[in-house]
Amino acid sequence: MPSRKYADGEVVMGRWPGSVLYYEVQVTSYDDVAHLYTVKYKDGTELALKESDIRSQSSFKPRKSQSSSSSPSRRSNTRSRSRSPGRPARGRRRSASQSREHKDEKKKTIQETALALPVLKPSENNTKRYNGEPESTEKNDTSSIILEQKLKPDLEMKHVLEQYSLRPRKDDRKKEEIYSEKKTFVAVKPVEKVPTKTKDLEFGGRIGTFMLILFLPATVLYLLSMCKQDDPSLLNFPPLPALESLWEWRVFGIILLWFFLQAVFHLLPIGKVVEGLPLSNGRKLQYRINGFYAFILTAAAIGVLLYFQFELHYLYDHFVQFAVSAAAFSLALSIYLYIRSLKAPEEELAPSGNSGYFIYDFFTGHELNPRIGNFDLKFFCELRPGLIGWVVINLAMLLAEMKIHNLSVPSLSMILVNSFQFLYVVDALWFEEAVLTTMDITHDGFGFMLAFGDLVWVPFVYSLQAFYLVGHPTTITWPVAAAVTVLNCIGYYIFRSANSQKNNFRRNPADPKLANLKFIPTATGKGLLVTGWWGFVRHPNYLGDIIMALAWSLPCGFNHILPYFYVIYFICLLVHREARDEHHCKQKYGLAWERYCQRVPYRIFPYIY
């Protein structure tokens, strides 16, 4: 194991990543596994540097000029009378001492210029400072190139003067070393992203994630079993179902067929192709946006099945078996994702799922963007099988209600639940491109958490209200239905307008239509909106989401709390996600985020939280 060179607390000179400039830093810690030093700059920024990017302060002390007595230029009796290329023209000749002072002055100016330049940091590295203006988000630091262009003529002239001097070869070698060091100092080096281990473990760490792997499937089974009971009270626990009643190969085959049918729709060469956000290595992945077309094709396929009198309420009769089969498929997919992630390059691992602990990385996702060719598994599962399946399940529940209760038309409650959630799904698919900027795509890996959530939790828990209404019909009046509809429209308006403001501002901040929006510039080059919905609360889209979730539950009445599980869970989910957002934004934007929090004090609920 290589020995450690710098001790904790030692003040050294650290190179800023992506630049050629060195600044005074203090060593705070050392990672024995990654062999990285954590250093702290004077402005409070903490970064992990390799040992090759750190130098002692003594190496930056000004070099002493050569003694006048030892300088060969002072020995005029030995100087050749021929005109040297490095000698100034006749009539403008300076003395040797003046020339040496001039060169020493240039050398000193170069060093002072390098150490006095302001810090120009890449966007992903600035975490603690705000200078009032957005900085460049380009990967290559152009300030270093400009500095090199300014200093290059002086350095070349100095090299020519020394090349044609008559000093001893020993002094020439010393000067050549100085010149080489100077060239190395001003040379532009590419940014080297050093993969780091996940240190801040979420969801309760290894124990918490292990419990969630067991708890989430059990929760789905419990909720669906409760809805089947005549009295779905919380204290009325359902009996444990027989194991043979939970599994049917035909149902599992339908789950596989559904998944691969949606994959075929996704691979069709329809819809536009867009680029995602830059990865850690600067590369941008391409995504085909055709979720709405896949929804239309799915609706056509369902219509054909209904035309040929396919009994869609079969889904209701075997609903628990469908959930178990989907859970088994998501588990198998998670195992495959983790095994393939072990061979993935370091730069393709998820920043939140690279802890080195099997259970934690398996749950959160070890690889950020697992792909089979151009087929992005995470992006596909995010909106396609589960979200479109949610609408199909709701339709099956509507048909099952009509058949079981001998209705010619669905109940008003069932119509409201289906309509509200249909609007939500269509909105997500229509604005599919917006998902590329969410935390699920940019930060979280694809593991059990997202696989189970996308393929099991979304279709089988989000449809809980419709499943509940089949066995527990609820009658509501038209005025109540109108009030609930208005509430859902308010939530949707907040949700959609807030997301549109954010997405339009990210796409083109200079759009004249957004001229009325004010923002706090950050050192990453992005701005934090402080007017519009984002000046009302920090996460207005979450507020709209929660209002809609309440509107989806109200048509089920107030006889049981079970239909309100979704809105209760959703509040907990969004509060937890908001806390994760706060942590990441504080690291990313530094003092700019603190200013934003002072300007917009409420997180989700105005005047409450």
Side-chain angles (χ1 to χ4, degrees):
M1 180 178 291
S3 60
R4 178 178 177 179
K5 187 175 180 180
Y6 304 103
D8 290 349
E10 184 176 352
V11 178
V12 293
M13 302 298 290
R15 185 176 71 85
W16 185 261
S19 75
V20 296
L21 307 180
Y22 284 77
Y23 298 92
E24 185 177 297
V25 298
Q26 185 177 21
V27 178
T28 59
S29 63
Y30 178 73
D31 189 341
D32 293 327
V33 178
H35 306 301
L36 296 175
Y37 289 89
T38 301
V39 299
K40 187 174 184 179
Y41 291 78
K42 285 187 176 182
D43 65 349
T45 302
E46 291 189 1
L47 294 177
L49 299 180
K50 296 186 294 185
E51 189 171 283
S52 59
D53 292 331
I54 302 176
R55 297 185 184 180
S56 62
Q57 285 187 312
S58 59
S59 64
F60 285 84
K61 291 182 179 180
R63 298 178 183 269
K64 295 182 180 181
S65 60
Q66 295 288 340
S67 174
S68 58
S69 60
S70 62
S71 175
S73 63
R74 299 295 298 266
R75 302 169 186 169
S76 57
N77 57 336
T78 62
R79 185 185 293 266
S80 170
R81 303 302 299 174
S82 62
R83 180 62 56 190
S84 169
R87 188 179 298 172
R90 192 179 301 274
R92 292 185 289 121
R93 182 176 179 180
R94 292 181 297 188
S95 66
S97 60
Q98 288 176 331
S99 177
R100 183 174 62 254
E101 290 173 359
H102 178 67
K103 288 186 288 185
D104 290 341
E105 183 180 353
K106 280 189 177 182
K107 177 182 173 183
K108 183 177 180 182
T109 303
I110 291 171
Q111 292 177 339
E112 291 177 350
T113 302
L115 294 176
L117 278 174
V119 178
L120 296 177
K121 306 177 183 180
S123 61
E124 65 267 34
N125 288 332
N126 191 320
T127 59
K128 304 286 185 180
R129 190 175 66 88
Y130 167 73
N131 61 3
E133 296 181 1
E135 295 181 49
S136 172
T137 58
E138 296 293 329
K139 282 286 179 182
N140 295 328
D141 194 348
T142 57
S143 63
S144 304
I145 300 174
I146 295 173
L147 174 62
E148 182 182 18
Q149 290 174 347
K150 288 182 178 180
L151 301 182
K152 189 174 181 180
D154 291 338
L155 291 173
E156 288 179 349
M157 179 59 70
K158 180 177 179 180
H159 186 50
V160 170
L161 289 173
E162 293 174 353
Q163 182 178 357
Y164 288 92
S165 69
L166 299 179
R167 301 184 181 189
R169 302 180 69 90
K170 181 178 180 180
D171 290 343
D172 286 344
R173 284 195 299 269
K174 289 183 179 181
K175 288 297 181 181
E176 187 64 29
E177 290 174 1
I178 297 173
Y179 178 71
S180 299
E181 181 179 351
K182 193 63 65 180
K183 283 201 303 184
T184 302
F185 183 74
V186 300
V188 180
K189 296 182 178 180
V191 180
E192 295 180 0
K193 295 294 294 183
V194 180
T196 56
K197 292 289 184 180
T198 304
K199 296 181 180 179
D200 298 328
L201 303 185
E202 301 175 299
F203 307 104
R206 289 175 287 176
I207 297 178
T209 51
F210 176 75
M211 297 301 297
L212 284 173
I213 292 174
L214 302 177
F215 176 75
L216 291 176
T219 301
V220 174
L221 184 61
Y222 168 77
L223 292 173
L224 301 186
S225 300
M226 288 285 290
C227 279
K228 284 278 191 178
Q229 295 193 128
D230 295 333
D231 178 21
S233 301
L234 292 181
L235 299 180
N236 186 20
F237 291 96
L240 292 176
L243 293 179
E244 58 271 14
S245 66
L246 297 177
W247 185 262
E248 186 174 324
W249 283 104
R250 181 184 178 186
V251 172
F252 184 72
I254 295 176
I255 290 291
L256 293 179
L257 178 63
W258 171 258
F259 185 87
F260 289 110
L261 176 66
Q262 293 302 318
V264 170
F265 289 161
H266 177 64
L267 292 173
L268 293 177
I270 55 177
K272 61 181 180 179
V273 177
V274 301
E275 290 185 337
L277 296 181
L279 302 177
S280 60
N281 57 8
R283 189 165 63 99
K284 293 183 179 181
L285 299 177
Q286 292 187 334
Y287 300 88
R288 182 171 293 279
I289 306 299
N290 60 5
F292 188 75
Y293 296 107
F295 180 76
I296 294 176
L297 292 174
T298 302
I302 297 297
V304 171
L305 292 177
L306 293 177
Y307 178 78
F308 287 102
Q309 298 182 347
F310 179 81
E311 305 241 352
L312 201 60
H313 63 80
Y314 174 85
L315 211 162
Y316 170 77
D317 297 334
H318 300 80
F319 197 50
V320 175
Q321 293 175 338
F322 273 98
V324 172
S325 296
F329 178 75
S330 67
L331 178 61
L333 177 62
S334 303
I335 295 173
Y336 162 75
L337 291 169
Y338 184 79
I339 293 175
R340 62 163 283 155
S341 70
L342 298 178
K343 298 182 179 180
E346 287 286 340
E347 63 271 12
E348 296 182 5
L349 300 182
S352 61
N354 191 22
S355 67
Y357 302 119
F358 162 69
I359 290 295
Y360 185 85
D361 294 343
F362 173 80
F363 178 81
T364 59
H366 195 42
E367 189 175 358
L368 183 61
N369 299 292
R371 288 191 162 203
I372 302 175
N374 292 327
F375 186 80
D376 192 294
L377 290 168
K378 182 170 69 170
F379 175 70
F380 166 72
C381 291
E382 188 74 15
L383 295 180
R384 305 304 180 88
L387 212 62
I388 298 177
W390 177 13
V391 175
V392 175
I393 290 173
N394 278 353
L395 177 61
M397 299 304 163
L398 183 147
L399 297 176
E401 181 197 49
M402 295 176 62
K403 180 180 180 180
I404 292 174
H405 300 286
N406 297 318
L407 300 175
S408 58
V409 293
S411 66
L412 186 56
S413 298
M414 183 67 78
I415 292 175
L416 290 180
V417 170
N418 268 261
S419 301
F420 295 162
Q421 297 181 352
F422 176 84
L423 173 64
Y424 186 82
V425 172
V426 169
D427 175 90
L429 296 172
W430 183 264
F431 296 98
E432 183 181 15
E433 186 177 349
V435 79
L436 298 178
T437 62
T438 61
M439 182 183 294
D440 288 354
I441 299 295
T442 61
H443 182 267
D444 293 335
F446 194 31
F448 181 83
M449 177 179 69
L450 288 182
F452 184 86
D454 294 338
L455 303 178
V456 182
W457 193 268
V458 168
F460 293 97
V461 174
Y462 285 18
S463 60
L464 194 64
Q465 291 92 347
F467 186 46
Y468 172 86
L469 287 174
V470 175
H472 308 84
T474 302
T475 303
I476 60 174
T477 62
W478 282 100
V480 172
V484 174
T485 302
V486 170
L487 180 65
N488 185 78
C489 291
I490 292 174
Y492 176 75
Y493 174 74
I494 296 174
F495 170 81
R496 175 42 45 211
S497 56
N499 279 328
S500 296
Q501 273 186 359
K502 177 185 67 175
N503 294 331
N504 293 336
F505 183 77
R506 282 180 176 178
R507 188 178 298 111
N508 183 17
D511 189 345
K513 297 180 182 179
L514 307 177
N516 60 319
L517 297 179
K518 297 181 180 179
F519 62 92
I520 295 176
T522 71
T524 66
K526 299 180 180 179
L528 301 174
L529 289 172
V530 292
T531 54
W533 286 111
W534 299 90
F536 183 55
V537 290
R538 297 179 209 167
H539 299 278
N541 51 339
Y542 292 177
L543 175 63
D545 246 335
I546 292 173
I547 294 175
M548 285 190 291
L550 178 61
W552 300 349
S553 302
L554 289 175
C556 299
F558 300 98
N559 292 330
H560 300 287
I561 197 174
L562 184 62
Y564 292 86
F565 170 83
Y566 174 77
V567 65
I568 295 172
Y569 147 78
F570 212 56
I571 292 175
C572 297
L573 171 71
L574 293 183
V575 168
H576 175 261
R577 177 167 291 191
E578 186 276 336
R580 298 178 69 197
D581 288 343
E582 290 282 323
H583 176 71
H584 295 144
C585 289
K586 188 173 182 180
Q587 284 188 327
K588 184 176 182 180
Y589 300 120
L591 295 179
W593 183 255
E594 294 181 8
R595 288 190 58 191
Y596 173 73
C597 294
Q598 293 174 357
R599 186 78 174 267
V600 186
Y602 299 108
R603 301 186 176 190
I604 300 178
F605 304 102
Y607 309 107
I608 299 176
Y609 175 76

